[in-house]
């Protein structure tokens, strides 16, 4: 459980630090004009960014807890390290590329370079789909060689981790799909720009998660 | 980053009023309607759980009397009762119900930040409830694994509901967590982003603080339940061995090897303990506001109260293994968790002192909500003290899995939050419905519930000391229990049935009030918080009419010396507060 604890403690500490800044040295019982209190108000009216950050905290907690379970289960006697299918390396490169292209698209979107958004979105979509397909192939390969989910707990964790990671990506693809449809539907660029920004953060996050998962599975 | 509260960007937020009945009351995106939907659904399943508890009590009080209760369905009843009460009633009611209703109104916002997501949250919650209820009717019935769902027995042959019941339970929990996450993202974002001008964090009423921190706990802790549910689903359907050791149950070998049931316990309680505070923190916050309002005094030590909520929230993540003292853990491990458990008692006790000091020399109005709030202080102290017993390894070992534990957790997280739920409903009823309820009926409801539940749970402590085990359908031939234990059990059952029946008073009051209640004053308790200052009662869609409120002070300006009324609403500017000579009065208190 240490992994879960450490990750959670870090997130809580960040929250605590922020709250401290908000509330230290205030005297709530002193009345004052609304405007005087404004300097304390941290809002910059980007609710979607706040919601995404909060969601990333939830997802972090989720993955950290599975990893805690992984590390606890690993110590039991019947654990046999699994040989990861080599296609995972290709998949990793594809996912890194998807992240890079998304960042590129985002930078153009933020700079108002509208023409680059469409090809950028399509390319990330294609790369991400390729990643998912690659993961699927990895599953097939394992099953074909008799490395079923039940063979060993390390196999079970492999299927579990790749599965939930893939589901998170699918969720991201839904938002990506909406942004893409909007872009091609010729909607207002501001809204699209914002979704592209948020998607990029999410993609980087899932890349990071994947690198951690992959690294852990390789090393154990 | 300039300061542009969402509030000020009103024109960007669309507020077309819903027109048809369906968009107004069914597929509603208004936080107030969603709150009521959440509340009614939660109370509905809560009543089912109450009926289940009456059935358990009938069996325990009068064994061999009722043929419709047998050992199998007793386990199913225990399980469903516990799970419904903790998750589908209390969590949903405090966060989905009160969270939804109070957050936007108390922080001066027009709605939740993502109304559509909010609506979705309710409907997904409803789906989880429906899946849960379906499990009563599938072949083999609902699961009888206990609300803790410990493997291996949760998915081993011989446990009731092992075929379908457990699957539906796990599925329902998964769906519930999705619903909760959608709601939770909304509550957090609304508190952080949609407060009105002047509403700094440290001016928020404690109700909002409690709900806010509880939501954060939920968002971080529910994933642990989700992880354990998914892994158990794998073990059950794909025959993996995350949790399942090699066993052969009832002659069947399901093919598991080497899994760790203890791993499940860790994951479950990593969620399970914070869950206690997910229920308790909103209750703490609401009680603080009720006590302060009805005692006409500012809450004692507001900042301390906020920090205590935050500290309890943080600490609640490092005490989980106090539920596992009997699992054969390393003694040093047990020592660590006993210590953290006792440490968490410090901020909790602080809150209790502050409640009592708030009442000290207050101008106490013993209205119905106040009665419930004070009742909570009693039951909570009581349950908290027995918690100190159980937090110590050496005391817990003999008491674990006895009725002492049942008594403890019912006092601290059964009765106490339920008293707050009632207090809060009575308190905000006039705002929610625009009508008053019958005060006398409410007082009867309080006294019967309070005294009734005490007569249920006080004797249970004694049964626990005698060693009466928990989760037993019947005691059989046991030497260590005197025959009088059975008389006590019969008495407890009578008390439980009494309490169950007296809840009719509440529903009666609701019905009478809705049909013919007196029209409510917009601010019947002379309260300071923003929800009482809305232009309409009940508040209309968008809450504030044309202009958003501005906040000029904290929520606890009661009985400010020299001011003509004994309360100053949060939206009254400092300059309007009183004639010029009042200025120094402000500094004094
Ligand atoms: C008048 C109201 C209630 C009565 C009479 C009642 C009675 C009972 C009884 C008889 C048991 C079974 C004990 C056993 O056989 O070991 C039980 C278990 C339980 N109750 Fe209640 N209860 C009530 C309200 C609540 C509430 C409001 C909660 C909310 C937290 C709650 C949570 C639980 C839990 C978590 C269990 C444990 C289930 C298990 O062992 O798996 N109960 N209750
Ligand atoms: Cu606990």
């Amino acid at each position: 459980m240490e992994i879960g604890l450490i990750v959670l403690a870090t997130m809580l500490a960040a929250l605590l630090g922020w709250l401290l800044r908000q509330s230290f040295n205030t005297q709530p019982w002193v009345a004052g004009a609304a405007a005087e209190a404004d300097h304390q108000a941290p809002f910059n009216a980007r609710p979607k960014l706040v919601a995404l950050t909060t969601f990333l905290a939830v997802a972090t907690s989720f993955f950290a807890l599975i990893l805690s379970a992984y590390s606890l289960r690993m110590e039991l006697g019947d654990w046999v390290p699994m040989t990861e299918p080599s296609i995972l390396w290709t998949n990793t490169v594809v996912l890194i590329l998807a992240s890079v292209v998304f960042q590129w698209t985002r930078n153009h979107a933020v700079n108002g370079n509208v023409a680059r958004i469409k090809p950028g979105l399509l390319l990330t979509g294609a790369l991400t789909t390729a990643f998912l397909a690659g993961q699927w192939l990895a599953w097939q390969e394992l099953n074909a060689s008799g490395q079923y989910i039940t063979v060993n707990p390390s196999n079970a964790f492999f299927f579990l981790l790749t599965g939930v990671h893939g589901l998170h990506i699918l969720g991201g693809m839904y938002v990506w799909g909406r942004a893409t449809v909007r872009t091609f539907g010729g909607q207002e660029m501001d809204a699209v720009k914002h979704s592209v920004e948020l998607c990029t953060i999410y993609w980087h996050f899932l890349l990071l998660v994947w690198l951690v998962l992959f690294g852990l599975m390789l090393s154990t | 980053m300039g300061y542009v509260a969402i509030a000020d960007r009103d024109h960007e937020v669309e507020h077309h009023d819903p027109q048809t009945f369906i968009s107004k009351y069914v597929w509603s995106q208004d936080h107030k309607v969603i709150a009521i939907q959440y509340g009614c659904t939660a109370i509905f399943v809560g009543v089912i759980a109450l009926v289940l508890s009456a059935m358990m009590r009938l069996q325990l009080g009068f064994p061999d009397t009722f043929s419709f209760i047998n050992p199998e369905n007793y386990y199913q009843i225990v399980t469903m009762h516990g799970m419904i009460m903790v998750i589908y009633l209390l969590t949903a009611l405090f966060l989905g119900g009160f969270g939804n209703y109070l957050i936007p109104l108390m922080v001066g916002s027009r709605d939740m930040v993502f109304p559509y997501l909010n609506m979705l949250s309710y409907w997904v919650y409803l789906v989880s409830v429906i899946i849960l209820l379906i499990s009563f009717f599938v072949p083999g019935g609902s699961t009888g694994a206990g609300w803790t769902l410990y493997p291996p027995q949760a998915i081993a042959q011989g446990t009731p509901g092992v075929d379908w019941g457990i699957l539906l339970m796990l599925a329902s929990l998964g769906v519930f967590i999705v619903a909760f996450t959608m709601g939770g993202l909304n509550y957090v974002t609304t508190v952080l982003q949609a407060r009105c001008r002047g509403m700094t964090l440290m001016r928020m009423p404690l109700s909002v603080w409690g709900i806010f921190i509880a939501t954060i706990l939920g968002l971080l802790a529910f994933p642990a339940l989700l992880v354990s549910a998914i892994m158990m689903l794998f073990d059950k359907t794909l025959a993996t061995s995350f949790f399942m050791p090699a066993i052969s149950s009832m002659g069947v070998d399901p093919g598991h090897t080497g899994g760790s049931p203890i791993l499940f316990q860790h994951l479950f309680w990593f969620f399970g303990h914070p869950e206690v505070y997910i229920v308790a923190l909103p209750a703490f916050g609401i009680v603080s506001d009720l006590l302060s309002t009805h005692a006409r005094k500012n809450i004692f030590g507001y900042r301390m109260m906020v920090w205590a909520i935050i500290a309890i929230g943080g600490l609640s993540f490092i005490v989980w293994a106090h539920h596992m003292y009997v699992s054969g853990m390393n003694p040093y491990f047990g020592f660590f968790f006993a210590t953290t458990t006792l440490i968490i008692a410090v901020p909790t006790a602080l809150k209790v002192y502050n409640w009592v000091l708030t009442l000290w020399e207050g101008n106490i109005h013993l209205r119905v909500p106040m009665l419930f709030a004070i009742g909570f202080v009693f039951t909570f102290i009581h349950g908290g003290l027995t918690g100190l017993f159980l937090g110590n390894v050496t005391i817990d070992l003999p008491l674990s899995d006895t009725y002492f534990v049942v008594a403890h957790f019912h006092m601290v997280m059964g009765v106490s939050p339920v008293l707050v739920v009632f207090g809060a409903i009575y308190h905000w009823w006039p705002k929610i419905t625009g009508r008053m309820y019958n005060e006398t009926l409410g007082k009867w409801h309080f006294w019967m519930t309070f005294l009734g539940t005490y007569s249920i749970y006080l004797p249970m402590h004694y049964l626990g000391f005698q060693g009466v085990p928990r989760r037993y359908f019947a005691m059989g031939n046991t030497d260590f229990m005197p025959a009088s234990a059975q008389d006590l059990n019969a008495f407890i059952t009578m008390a439980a049935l009494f309490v169950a029946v007296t809840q009719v008073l509440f529903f009666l009051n609701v019905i009478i009030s809705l049909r013919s209640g007196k029209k409510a004053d917009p601010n019947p308790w002379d309260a300071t918080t923003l929800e009482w200052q809305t232009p309409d009662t009940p508040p209309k869609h968008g809450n504030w009419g044309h202009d958003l409120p501005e906040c000029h002070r904290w929520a606890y300006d009661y009985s400010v010396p020299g001011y003509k009324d004994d309360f100053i609403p949060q939206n009254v500017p400092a300059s309007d507060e009183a004639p010029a000579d009042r200025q120094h009065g402000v500094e004094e208190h």
Side-chain angles (χ1 to χ4, degrees), chain A residues 1-2 4-5 8 11-12 15-16 18-59 61-63 65-66 68-70 72-73 76-78 149-151 153 156-157 159-160 164 178, chain B residues 1-6 9 113-114 181 184-185 188-189 191-203 209 212-213 216 219-221 223-224 226-227 230-231 234 238-243 257-260 263 266-267 270 302-303 307 310 313-314 317-318 320 550-554 557 574 577 586 589:
Chain A
M1 298 303 286
E2 292 86 353
L5 261 185
L8 256 145
M11 292 196 290
L12 286 175
L15 180 75
L16 201 73
W18 182 81
L19 282 174
L20 258 174
R21 268 197 296 141
Q22 291 301 304
S23 47
F24 210 64
N25 246 339
T26 58
Q27 293 172 312
W29 50 89
V30 176
E36 284 169 26
D38 278 357
H39 69 276
Q40 290 192 353
F43 352 50
N44 46 21
R46 301 188 71 189
K48 286 189 176 157
L49 184 61
V50 173
L52 177 67
T53 314
T54 316
F55 180 73
L56 294 188
V58 177
S61 164
F62 178 78
F63 283 109
L65 284 160
I66 304 189
S68 300
Y70 189 97
L72 276 176
R73 185 70 181 80
L76 301 185
D78 60 340
I149 189 167
T150 44
V151 169
F157 269 107
F159 281 96
L160 175 67
V164 290
R178 278 183 30 170
Chain B
M1 277 181 269
Y3 162 71
V4 196
I6 300 221
R9 307 185 314 156
V113 174
F114 310 111
T181 307
L185 291 179
V188 169
T189 314
V191 168
L192 292 181
Q193 292 272 295
R195 282 167 293 153
C196 68
R197 290 188 62 139
M199 180 64 76
T200 58
L201 285 178
M202 292 309 267
R203 278 182 181 167
W209 267 111
F212 176 56
I213 300 292
I216 294 178
L219 288 172
L220 297 179
L226 188 60
V227 169
I230 294 174
M231 286 167 60
F234 272 47
L238 304 173
T240 53
S241 309
F242 289 119
F243 304 135
T257 52
S260 163
L263 173 57
H266 278 299
L267 285 172
F270 196 83
Y302 172 84
R303 279 190 301 188
W307 282 105
I310 296 171
F317 279 104
I318 46 168
W320 79 88
E550 283 194 356
C551 173
H552 300 275
R553 57 187 72 247
W554 70 340
D557 267 343
E577 149 183 312
V586 177
H589 69 274

Side-chain angles (χ1 to χ4, degrees), chain B residues 368 372 426 437-447 509:
Chain B
V368 184
F372 277 101
Y426 284 110
Y437 50 80
N438 185 314
E439 185 82 14
T440 319
L441 216 52
K443 285 185 175 156
W444 275 96
H445 176 216
F446 167 74
W447 283 111
N509 210 346

Side-chain angles (χ1 to χ4, degrees), chain A residues 129-205:
Chain A
T129 315
F131 171 80
L132 287 175
Q135 298 286 81
W136 177 254
L137 285 179
W139 282 13
Q140 301 299 58
E141 197 177 301
L142 281 174
N143 277 335
S145 61
Q147 290 289 324
Y148 308 116
I149 189 167
T150 44
V151 169
N152 193 267
S154 62
N155 292 26
F157 269 107
F158 175 82
F159 281 96
L160 175 67
L161 286 169
T162 47
V164 290
H165 180 260
L167 280 178
H168 278 78
I169 293 213
L170 275 181
M173 287 299 275
Y174 170 73
V175 184
W176 167 87
R178 278 183 30 170
T180 311
V181 168
R182 279 209 216 139
T183 315
F184 282 87
Q187 282 215 0
E188 223 187 295
M189 268 304 127
D190 264 0
V192 176
K193 196 175 82 186
H194 198 40
S195 343
V196 171
E197 276 186 88
L198 297 180
C199 276
T200 311
I201 299 176
Y202 189 59
W203 251 250
H204 292 343
F205 171 77

Side-chain angles (χ1 to χ4, degrees), chain B residues 50 53-54 56-57 60 74 78-79 81-83 85-86 89-90 145-148 403 406 409-410 413-415 418 453 456-457 460 469-472 496 499-500:
Chain B
L50 185 69
S53 72
M56 288 185 281
R57 282 315 321 175
L60 295 172
Y74 182 82
V78 171
T79 308
H81 162 79
M83 197 65 104
M85 286 291 191
V86 173
L89 170 72
L90 290 178
W147 90 281
T148 46
Y403 261 82
V406 177
F409 71 67
H410 276 93
M413 84 166 303
V415 179
V418 168
T453 44
I456 301 175
Y457 296 112
M460 277 192 196
R470 156 189 189 197
R471 289 180 177 166
Y472 269 36
V499 170

